[in-house]
Amino acid sequence: MTRRLARPSMRRVRRFGAARSGFTLIELLIVVALVGLVASIAIPGLIRARTTGRETAAIAALRAVNDAQASYASVCGNGAYAVLFPTLAIGPRGSSTGFLSPDLSGSETPVKSGYQYALTAGAGGTPGQDDCNGTPTNTAYYVSAVSLSGAGTRGFATNQERGIWQDQSGAAPTEPFAVGPGVSQLP
């Protein structure tokens, strides 16, 4: 006698086989957990990269101010420096371009890339002759860049000596610049 194996009915095959679609709750939970794990690893790196980018932009802006001040002093300032950003926006008489780009020279305390900048007369400076446009000058200047709302973790400053200083606490280094706790000069 031969024994016959029972074949599943067509109804059972359709119900449990080809007709099944979608994901189970467990499968979805595993995918969500994996996405969460990848995000928890990637997000801190992204935040660090954004902070580093903003700090690098602040350093570049201070270098641009130093270059603008050097040009201003030799072309228009009679050897002295501007003490307000808007002064650097104005070129010598007859020129349509200023010494510094409008994004930094458009106001007295510009904000760029999450940093606020301030330009004042430097420590030990004395009033100089008026510039070629009749604006008062000074023999020294001081520029600071301070992070707004966590855009960066360091504060920066520079002066007519053109060195850029950083303070790890987030405050701008003060003049006279000196190495101290958290304060150093950038290479």
Side-chain angles (χ1 to χ4, degrees), residues 146-168:
V146 179
S147 172
L148 296 174
S149 66
T153 57
R154 301 179 289 169
F156 303 98
T158 188
N159 62 11
Q160 69 281 353
E161 294 173 4
R162 298 177 60 94
I164 297 178
W165 290 77
Q166 66 179 346
D167 188 334
Q168 299 293 336

Side-chain angles (χ1 to χ4, degrees), residues 85 108-118 144-148 156:
F85 280 116
E108 290 190 21
T109 56
V111 174
K112 181 180 177 184
S113 299
Y115 273 81
Q116 184 166 26
Y117 299 86
S144 63
V146 179
S147 172
L148 296 174
F156 303 98

